PDB file of all heavy atoms in Angstrom:
ATOM      1  N   HIS Y 179     120.259 125.302 187.744  1.00 98.00           N
ATOM      2  CA  HIS Y 179     120.546 123.891 188.025  1.00 98.00           C
ATOM      3  C   HIS Y 179     119.374 122.978 187.638  1.00 98.00           C
ATOM      4  O   HIS Y 179     119.572 121.892 187.087  1.00 98.00           O
ATOM      5  CB  HIS Y 179     120.857 123.758 189.520  1.00 98.00           C
ATOM      6  CG  HIS Y 179     121.216 122.387 189.958  1.00 98.00           C
ATOM      7  ND1 HIS Y 179     122.463 121.841 189.757  1.00 98.00           N
ATOM      8  CD2 HIS Y 179     120.495 121.431 190.585  1.00 98.00           C
ATOM      9  CE1 HIS Y 179     122.489 120.614 190.253  1.00 98.00           C
ATOM     10  NE2 HIS Y 179     121.301 120.334 190.760  1.00 98.00           N
ATOM     11  N   HIS Y 183     118.918 119.743 185.021  1.00 98.00           N
ATOM     12  CA  HIS Y 183     118.319 118.420 185.271  1.00 98.00           C
ATOM     13  C   HIS Y 183     117.241 118.089 184.236  1.00 98.00           C
ATOM     14  O   HIS Y 183     117.194 116.977 183.715  1.00 98.00           O
ATOM     15  CB  HIS Y 183     117.693 118.384 186.667  1.00 98.00           C
ATOM     16  CG  HIS Y 183     118.666 118.040 187.759  1.00 98.00           C
ATOM     17  ND1 HIS Y 183     119.438 116.897 187.731  1.00 98.00           N
ATOM     18  CD2 HIS Y 183     118.976 118.675 188.923  1.00 98.00           C
ATOM     19  CE1 HIS Y 183     120.189 116.855 188.836  1.00 98.00           C
ATOM     20  NE2 HIS Y 183     119.936 117.923 189.563  1.00 98.00           N
ATOM     21  N   SER Y 204     114.689 116.133 193.328  1.00 97.00           N
ATOM     22  CA  SER Y 204     116.103 116.171 193.709  1.00 97.00           C
ATOM     23  C   SER Y 204     116.203 116.282 195.227  1.00 97.00           C
ATOM     24  O   SER Y 204     115.215 116.128 195.941  1.00 97.00           O
ATOM     25  CB  SER Y 204     116.784 117.355 193.030  1.00 97.00           C
ATOM     26  OG  SER Y 204     116.311 118.557 193.586  1.00 97.00           O
ATOM     27  N   GLY Y 205     117.412 116.597 195.706  1.00 95.00           N
ATOM     28  CA  GLY Y 205     117.604 116.737 197.149  1.00 95.00           C
ATOM     29  C   GLY Y 205     116.925 117.986 197.685  1.00 95.00           C
ATOM     30  O   GLY Y 205     116.540 118.038 198.853  1.00 95.00           O
ATOM     31  N   GLY Y 206     116.768 119.002 196.847  1.00 95.00           N
ATOM     32  CA  GLY Y 206     116.201 120.260 197.324  1.00 95.00           C
ATOM     33  C   GLY Y 206     114.841 120.606 196.743  1.00 95.00           C
ATOM     34  O   GLY Y 206     114.198 121.547 197.209  1.00 95.00           O
ATOM     35  N   GLY Y 231     114.014 113.950 197.925  1.00 97.00           N
ATOM     36  CA  GLY Y 231     115.388 113.525 198.211  1.00 97.00           C
ATOM     37  C   GLY Y 231     115.774 113.828 199.653  1.00 97.00           C
ATOM     38  O   GLY Y 231     116.445 113.026 200.316  1.00 97.00           O
ATOM     39  N   PHE Y 234     114.346 111.215 201.831  1.00 97.00           N
ATOM     40  CA  PHE Y 234     115.190 110.010 201.775  1.00 97.00           C
ATOM     41  C   PHE Y 234     116.416 110.203 202.675  1.00 97.00           C
ATOM     42  O   PHE Y 234     116.788 109.319 203.446  1.00 97.00           O
ATOM     43  CB  PHE Y 234     115.659 109.750 200.337  1.00 97.00           C
ATOM     44  CG  PHE Y 234     114.772 108.827 199.549  1.00 97.00           C
ATOM     45  CD1 PHE Y 234     113.907 109.316 198.584  1.00 97.00           C
ATOM     46  CD2 PHE Y 234     114.801 107.449 199.761  1.00 97.00           C
ATOM     47  CE1 PHE Y 234     113.087 108.471 197.844  1.00 97.00           C
ATOM     48  CE2 PHE Y 234     113.989 106.590 199.026  1.00 97.00           C
ATOM     49  CZ  PHE Y 234     113.119 107.108 198.068  1.00 97.00           C
ATOM     50  N   ASP Y 235     117.051 111.378 202.556  1.00 95.00           N
ATOM     51  CA  ASP Y 235     118.289 111.622 203.311  1.00 95.00           C
ATOM     52  C   ASP Y 235     118.028 111.647 204.821  1.00 95.00           C
ATOM     53  O   ASP Y 235     118.786 111.082 205.605  1.00 95.00           O
ATOM     54  CB  ASP Y 235     118.942 112.934 202.849  1.00 95.00           C
ATOM     55  CG  ASP Y 235     119.417 112.859 201.403  1.00 95.00           C
ATOM     56  OD1 ASP Y 235     119.645 111.735 200.910  1.00 95.00           O
ATOM     57  OD2 ASP Y 235     119.558 113.918 200.761  1.00 95.00           O
ATOM     58  N   PRO Y 246     124.676 109.790 200.770  1.00 92.00           N
ATOM     59  CA  PRO Y 246     123.292 110.230 200.576  1.00 92.00           C
ATOM     60  C   PRO Y 246     122.302 109.098 200.807  1.00 92.00           C
ATOM     61  O   PRO Y 246     122.575 107.935 200.476  1.00 92.00           O
ATOM     62  CB  PRO Y 246     123.288 110.687 199.116  1.00 92.00           C
ATOM     63  CG  PRO Y 246     124.357 109.905 198.451  1.00 92.00           C
ATOM     64  CD  PRO Y 246     125.395 109.616 199.491  1.00 92.00           C
ATOM     65  N   GLY Y 247     121.163 109.450 201.356  1.00 95.00           N
ATOM     66  CA  GLY Y 247     120.223 108.452 201.837  1.00 95.00           C
ATOM     67  C   GLY Y 247     119.467 107.686 200.771  1.00 95.00           C
ATOM     68  O   GLY Y 247     119.101 106.528 200.985  1.00 95.00           O
ATOM     69  N   GLY Y 248     119.212 108.321 199.623  1.00 97.00           N
ATOM     70  CA  GLY Y 248     118.385 107.679 198.593  1.00 97.00           C
ATOM     71  C   GLY Y 248     118.905 106.310 198.177  1.00 97.00           C
ATOM     72  O   GLY Y 248     118.199 105.306 198.320  1.00 97.00           O
ATOM     73  N   PRO Y 249     120.153 106.247 197.696  1.00 97.00           N
ATOM     74  CA  PRO Y 249     120.664 104.945 197.266  1.00 97.00           C
ATOM     75  C   PRO Y 249     120.739 103.949 198.427  1.00 97.00           C
ATOM     76  O   PRO Y 249     120.477 102.755 198.234  1.00 97.00           O
ATOM     77  CB  PRO Y 249     122.072 105.256 196.744  1.00 97.00           C
ATOM     78  CG  PRO Y 249     122.084 106.726 196.481  1.00 97.00           C
ATOM     79  CD  PRO Y 249     121.082 107.344 197.388  1.00 97.00           C
ATOM     80  N   GLY Y 335     116.465 114.709 188.069  1.00 98.00           N
ATOM     81  CA  GLY Y 335     116.941 114.977 189.430  1.00 98.00           C
ATOM     82  C   GLY Y 335     117.343 113.680 190.104  1.00 98.00           C
ATOM     83  O   GLY Y 335     116.954 112.593 189.657  1.00 98.00           O
ATOM     84  N   GLY Y 336     118.106 113.778 191.180  1.00 98.00           N
ATOM     85  CA  GLY Y 336     118.700 112.613 191.832  1.00 98.00           C
ATOM     86  C   GLY Y 336     117.747 111.469 192.131  1.00 98.00           C
ATOM     87  O   GLY Y 336     118.072 110.303 191.901  1.00 98.00           O
ATOM     88  N   VAL Y 337     116.542 111.785 192.612  1.00 98.00           N
ATOM     89  CA  VAL Y 337     115.599 110.719 192.998  1.00 98.00           C
ATOM     90  C   VAL Y 337     115.077 109.959 191.771  1.00 98.00           C
ATOM     91  O   VAL Y 337     114.598 108.831 191.888  1.00 98.00           O
ATOM     92  CB  VAL Y 337     114.438 111.301 193.857  1.00 98.00           C
ATOM     93  CG1 VAL Y 337     113.490 110.218 194.324  1.00 98.00           C
ATOM     94  CG2 VAL Y 337     114.988 112.060 195.064  1.00 98.00           C
ATOM     95  N   ALA Y 339     116.765 108.514 189.794  1.00 98.00           N
ATOM     96  CA  ALA Y 339     117.607 107.320 189.649  1.00 98.00           C
ATOM     97  C   ALA Y 339     116.984 106.125 190.373  1.00 98.00           C
ATOM     98  O   ALA Y 339     117.425 104.987 190.201  1.00 98.00           O
ATOM     99  CB  ALA Y 339     119.002 107.581 190.213  1.00 98.00           C
ATOM    100  N   ASN Y 340     115.948 106.364 191.157  1.00 98.00           N
ATOM    101  CA  ASN Y 340     115.325 105.291 191.944  1.00 98.00           C
ATOM    102  C   ASN Y 340     114.584 104.298 191.028  1.00 98.00           C
ATOM    103  O   ASN Y 340     113.653 104.669 190.315  1.00 98.00           O
ATOM    104  CB  ASN Y 340     114.345 105.910 192.959  1.00 98.00           C
ATOM    105  CG  ASN Y 340     113.787 104.862 193.891  1.00 98.00           C
ATOM    106  OD1 ASN Y 340     112.877 104.130 193.533  1.00 98.00           O
ATOM    107  ND2 ASN Y 340     114.346 104.771 195.071  1.00 98.00           N
ATOM    108  N   THR Y 367     121.662 112.186 188.779  1.00 98.00           N
ATOM    109  CA  THR Y 367     122.239 112.968 189.876  1.00 98.00           C
ATOM    110  C   THR Y 367     123.084 114.101 189.283  1.00 98.00           C
ATOM    111  O   THR Y 367     123.244 114.195 188.064  1.00 98.00           O
ATOM    112  CB  THR Y 367     123.091 112.043 190.781  1.00 98.00           C
ATOM    113  OG1 THR Y 367     123.907 111.241 189.940  1.00 98.00           O
ATOM    114  CG2 THR Y 367     122.215 111.125 191.621  1.00 98.00           C
ATOM    115  N   ASP Y 368     123.626 114.953 190.158  1.00 98.00           N
ATOM    116  CA  ASP Y 368     124.331 116.138 189.673  1.00 98.00           C
ATOM    117  C   ASP Y 368     125.498 115.762 188.755  1.00 98.00           C
ATOM    118  O   ASP Y 368     126.250 114.827 189.046  1.00 98.00           O
ATOM    119  CB  ASP Y 368     124.831 116.961 190.863  1.00 98.00           C
ATOM    120  CG  ASP Y 368     123.663 117.638 191.575  1.00 98.00           C
ATOM    121  OD1 ASP Y 368     122.550 117.615 191.032  1.00 98.00           O
ATOM    122  OD2 ASP Y 368     123.881 118.189 192.660  1.00 98.00           O
TER     123      ASP Y 368
HETATM  124  O1  KG4 Q 563     119.876 116.017 191.852  1.00 96.50           O
HETATM  125  P1  KG4 Q 563     120.749 115.637 192.979  1.00 96.50           P
HETATM  126  O2  KG4 Q 563     121.989 114.835 192.678  1.00 96.50           O
HETATM  127  O3  KG4 Q 563     121.210 116.885 193.792  1.00 96.50           O
HETATM  128  C1  KG4 Q 563     120.348 117.958 194.025  1.00 96.50           C
HETATM  129  O4  KG4 Q 563     120.192 118.788 193.098  1.00 96.50           O
HETATM  130  O5  KG4 Q 563     119.751 117.967 195.113  1.00 96.50           O
HETATM  131  O6  KG4 Q 563     119.823 114.825 193.999  1.00 96.50           O
HETATM  132  C2  KG4 Q 563     120.349 114.318 195.182  1.00 96.50           C
HETATM  133  C3  KG4 Q 563     119.247 113.550 195.906  1.00 96.50           C
HETATM  134  C4  KG4 Q 563     119.664 113.085 197.292  1.00 96.50           C
HETATM  135  O7  KG4 Q 563     118.661 113.465 198.207  1.00 96.50           O
HETATM  136  C5  KG4 Q 563     119.754 111.581 197.142  1.00 96.50           C
HETATM  137  O8  KG4 Q 563     119.448 110.881 198.343  1.00 96.50           O
HETATM  138  C6  KG4 Q 563     118.713 111.315 196.062  1.00 96.50           C
HETATM  139  O9  KG4 Q 563     118.867 112.385 195.161  1.00 96.50           O
HETATM  140  N1  KG4 Q 563     118.937 110.043 195.359  1.00 96.50           N
HETATM  141  C7  KG4 Q 563     118.062 109.014 195.394  1.00 96.50           C
HETATM  142  C8  KG4 Q 563     118.643 107.958 194.646  1.00 96.50           C
HETATM  143  N2  KG4 Q 563     119.852 108.400 194.169  1.00 96.50           N
HETATM  144  C9  KG4 Q 563     120.003 109.680 194.615  1.00 96.50           C
HETATM  145  N3  KG4 Q 563     116.864 108.891 195.997  1.00 96.50           N
HETATM  146  C10 KG4 Q 563     116.219 107.713 195.866  1.00 96.50           C
HETATM  147  N4  KG4 Q 563     116.717 106.649 195.196  1.00 96.50           N
HETATM  148  C11 KG4 Q 563     117.910 106.726 194.563  1.00 96.50           C
HETATM  149  N5  KG4 Q 563     118.395 105.677 193.890  1.00 96.50           N
END
Side-chain angles (χ1 to χ4, degrees):
H179 182 79
H183 275 305
S204 69
F234 267 104
D235 295 337
V337 183
N340 186 280
T367 46
D368 289 350

